């Protein structure tokens, strides 16, 4: 135990990652072991999810109450949505370019590939399409305003919680000194929750080991070989997007994208291993604040980004859609591909909070484009691995967005950021 304490947490996580792969390969085919190992990962993930909503609500309400003006909050919101739309469009376009250049679906026989079941995703997509207003995007916008705040808390619906927290923060700002006791309570809760986060993160190696070993144990290595081309194209596109696209954005802001990677190395490994952006949401907010973005911006931008700025998911969805078309020998014109891009932009925003969101968006999009949705059954087998990659990219995109909005507002503290980077 004393020796383990001397090993840093990032090193422990990497060791757990390697051990998880080895154990998964050794136990491949013995599915009964999944039931014994996976619960450890689920408990760790549940611990993280348990504190996400308190952090988002307290941090956002407290930050907005300190901003002081509803006009300022509105300005933040407008700039944030504009940036998210631009960067998501670039991600989708990049995915389409990569799919056209490398053609991951060509030459594959759909009858010889490992199959999966998409019935649950199809039912989710149909439920979203048959919404109250006949349009899942409009339905999402309407449901941002909660009819019952406590019901939203119970369901874990992040968008209604964000709306209420922002409105509550504006109210606290409006009533002035009378709100001081409430601010003190919110601040105290926030500090207590961050203490909890530090304790929970010490269990990260156990969670990482459980998730990685069960993933490898279930799918093995040989089952992934037929879809290796798709996996490589997606990974290549993701790396290009982070290094080049986000790298250029970071350069414009006067920072280095690799500095953010270094700062978030633990969180990226954790997000990759668990396939959950939520597992690192509170830590990202704290670290980006340390890197020079004001708390009121990190508390506002990061939670909204978890719904509207999923760059990795958007990029993956565009590649996967064309992968299915290529696999069935369907040649899509430039006009159809532009329509695909527009459809993905709308569908991805309207499916916020739907379980298995990336596959559900693809089911909806393929249906709208007249492409065979059953082709996605072939991707399900490696979707867990693809999900790990796109989750890490989502985390990078949302982290950088805090710097972008801070720089746009003229409040980014570069000196503080550099000092924090050098202290790591």
């Amino acid at each position: 135990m004393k020796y383990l304490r001397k090993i840093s947490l990032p090193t422990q996580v990497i060791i757990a990652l390697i051990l998880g792969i080895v154990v998964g390969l050794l136990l491949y085919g013995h599915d009964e072991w999944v039931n014994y190992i996976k619960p450890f990962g689920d408990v760790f993930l549940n611990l993280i999810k348990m504190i996400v909503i308190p952090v988002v609500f307290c941090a956002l309400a407290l930050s907005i109450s300190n901003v002081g003006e509803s006009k300022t909050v509105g300005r933040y919101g407008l700039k944030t949505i504009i940036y998210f739309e631009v960067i998501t469009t670039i991600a989708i376009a990049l995915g389409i370019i990569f799919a056209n250049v490398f053609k991951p679906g060509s030459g594959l026989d759909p009858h010889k590939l490992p199959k999966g079941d998409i019935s649950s995703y199809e039912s989710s997509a149909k439920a979203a399409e048959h919404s109250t207003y006949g349009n899942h995007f409009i339905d999402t916008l309407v449901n941002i305003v909660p009819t019952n705040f406590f019901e939203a808390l119970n369901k874990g619906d992040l968008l209604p919680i964000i709306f209420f927290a922002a409105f509550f923060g504006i109210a606290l700002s409006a009533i002035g000194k009378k709100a001081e006791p409430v601010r003190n309570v919110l601040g105290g809760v926030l500090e207590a929750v961050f203490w909890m986060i530090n304790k929970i993160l010490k269990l990260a190696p156990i969670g990482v080991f459980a998730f990685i070993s069960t993933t490898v144990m279930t799918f093995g290595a040989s089952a992934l070989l037929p879809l290796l081309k798709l996996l490589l194209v997606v990974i290549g596109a993701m790396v290009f997007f982070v290094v080049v696209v986000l790298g250029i954005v970071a350069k414009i802001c006067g920072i280095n994208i690799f500095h953010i990677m270094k700062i978030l190395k633990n969180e990226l490994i954790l997000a990759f291993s668990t396939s959950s952006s939520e597992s690192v949401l509170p830590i990202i907010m704290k670290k980006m604040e340390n890197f020079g973005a004001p708390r009121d911006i990190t508390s506002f931008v990061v939670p909204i980004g978890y719904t509207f700025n999923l760059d990795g998911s958007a990029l993956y969805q565009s590649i996967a859609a064309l992968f299915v078309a290529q696999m069935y020998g369907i040649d899509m014109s430039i006009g159809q591909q532009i329509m695909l891009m527009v459809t993905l932009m709308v569908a991805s925003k309207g499916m916020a909070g739907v379980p298995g969101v990336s596959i559900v968006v693809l089911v909806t999009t393929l249906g709208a484009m007249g492409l065979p949705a059953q082709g996605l059954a072939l991707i399900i087998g490696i979707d867990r691995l693809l999900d790990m990659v796109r989750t890490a990219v989502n985390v990078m995109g949302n982290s950088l967005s805090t710097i972008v909005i801070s720089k746009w507002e003229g409040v980014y503290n570069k000196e503080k950021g550099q000092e924090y980077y050098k202290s790591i």
Side-chain angles (χ1 to χ4, degrees):
M1 286 298 292
K2 288 182 179 179
Y3 180 71
L4 281 175
R5 286 172 189 167
K6 292 180 181 178
I7 303 175
S8 66
L9 185 62
T11 307
Q12 289 181 38
V13 169
I14 292 170
I15 292 171
L17 195 68
I18 295 169
L19 285 175
I21 293 171
V22 172
V23 170
L25 289 172
L26 290 173
L27 295 177
Y28 173 60
H30 300 276
D31 292 345
E32 67 275 8
W33 281 95
V34 173
N35 297 328
Y36 297 106
I37 298 175
K38 192 171 182 291
F40 289 97
D42 290 336
V43 167
F44 172 72
L45 203 55
N46 288 347
L47 283 169
I48 292 287
K49 289 182 176 180
M50 175 181 72
I51 56 177
V52 166
I53 289 175
V55 168
V56 170
F57 178 80
C58 293
L60 188 55
L62 194 60
S63 298
I64 289 177
S65 72
N66 292 328
V67 168
E69 295 180 19
S70 57
K71 288 182 180 178
T72 307
V73 177
R75 192 173 69 242
Y76 285 178
L78 181 61
K79 289 180 177 179
T80 300
I81 295 300
I82 290 172
Y83 172 71
F84 286 168
E85 282 302 322
V86 170
I87 206 73
T88 301
T89 303
I90 292 172
I92 294 171
L94 182 66
I96 289 174
I97 291 169
F98 263 74
N100 279 300
V101 171
F102 296 101
K103 300 187 183 304
S106 60
L108 294 178
D109 184 350
H111 301 292
K112 294 181 179 180
L113 295 174
K115 296 184 181 295
D117 181 17
I118 65 165
S119 57
S120 61
Y121 299 106
E122 287 179 318
S123 61
S124 295
K126 286 176 182 176
E129 286 173 353
H130 293 88
S131 56
T132 307
Y133 297 94
N135 184 307
H136 52 261
F137 181 61
I138 295 174
D139 203 48
T140 301
L141 291 178
V142 171
N143 290 331
I144 286 175
V145 183
T147 54
N148 186 327
F149 174 63
F150 294 100
E151 184 182 352
L153 284 175
N154 185 47
K155 290 182 178 178
D157 291 339
L158 211 52
L159 274 180
I161 293 168
I162 289 170
F163 177 86
F164 185 87
F167 204 1
F168 188 67
I170 293 170
L172 291 177
S173 175
I175 63 176
K177 289 184 178 180
K178 293 179 182 178
E180 208 57 43
V182 181
R183 286 197 188 99
N184 291 335
V185 169
L186 291 174
V189 171
L190 204 54
E191 290 300 320
V193 172
F194 277 124
W195 181 90
M196 293 169 67
I197 291 168
N198 290 328
K199 298 301 178 185
I200 292 169
L201 284 179
K202 291 180 180 178
L203 301 174
I206 297 173
V208 167
F209 173 83
F211 278 109
I212 289 296
S213 61
T214 51
T215 298
V216 177
M217 204 183 301
T218 303
F219 300 115
S222 59
L224 304 177
L225 290 177
L227 293 171
L228 185 61
K229 190 175 180 182
L230 172 64
L231 190 64
L232 291 175
V233 170
V234 170
I235 291 173
M238 298 283 185
V239 171
F240 184 90
F241 177 78
V242 171
V243 174
V244 178
V245 178
L246 295 186
I248 291 172
V249 174
K251 189 74 174 175
I252 293 170
C253 293
I255 60 170
N256 191 321
I257 193 68
F258 294 105
H259 289 183
I260 296 181
M261 287 184 195
K262 184 178 179 181
I263 289 168
L264 299 177
K265 58 182 182 295
N266 298 357
E267 289 68 41
L268 290 171
I269 292 172
L270 187 58
F272 176 83
S273 306
T274 61
S275 299
S276 171
S277 301
E278 285 184 346
S279 65
V280 294
L281 185 148
I283 314 128
I284 286 175
M285 289 165 60
K286 190 72 175 174
K287 284 198 169 184
M288 297 318 292
E289 182 186 341
N290 293 338
F291 194 54
R295 176 177 287 189
D296 58 305
I297 287 181
T298 59
S299 302
F300 184 84
V301 173
V302 174
I304 293 175
Y306 269 54
T307 299
F308 289 103
N309 187 41
L310 302 176
D311 301 329
S313 298
L315 198 159
Y316 158 73
Q317 287 156 4
S318 58
I319 294 176
L322 284 175
F323 170 81
V324 172
Q326 291 165 1
M327 193 170 57
Y328 285 96
I330 300 170
D331 187 28
M332 296 183 70
S333 65
I334 294 175
Q336 287 175 315
Q337 292 188 36
I338 291 172
M339 183 56 65
L340 171 66
M341 187 166 70
V342 174
T343 304
L344 276 172
M345 283 172 62
V346 175
S348 61
K349 298 296 184 293
M351 294 291 186
V354 176
V357 61
S358 285
I359 299 296
V360 174
V361 168
L362 280 169
V363 170
T364 305
T365 303
L366 292 178
M369 297 299 299
L371 296 171
Q374 62 267 28
L376 292 178
L378 312 172
I379 301 175
I380 300 294
I382 61 165
D383 187 64
R384 170 73 183 187
L385 288 177
L386 295 169
D387 195 17
M388 292 160 73
V389 178
R390 63 182 179 249
T391 299
V393 175
N394 290 342
V395 169
M396 279 296 300
N398 280 319
S399 302
L400 179 60
S401 65
T402 62
I403 307 299
V404 173
I405 304 303
S406 300
K407 189 77 175 178
W408 199 348
E409 280 288 305
V411 291
Y412 176 61
N413 190 335
K414 189 174 182 179
E415 289 74 22
K416 179 184 176 182
Q418 291 304 313
E419 286 177 14
Y420 175 63
Y421 174 74
K422 290 175 183 176
S423 69
I424 296 175

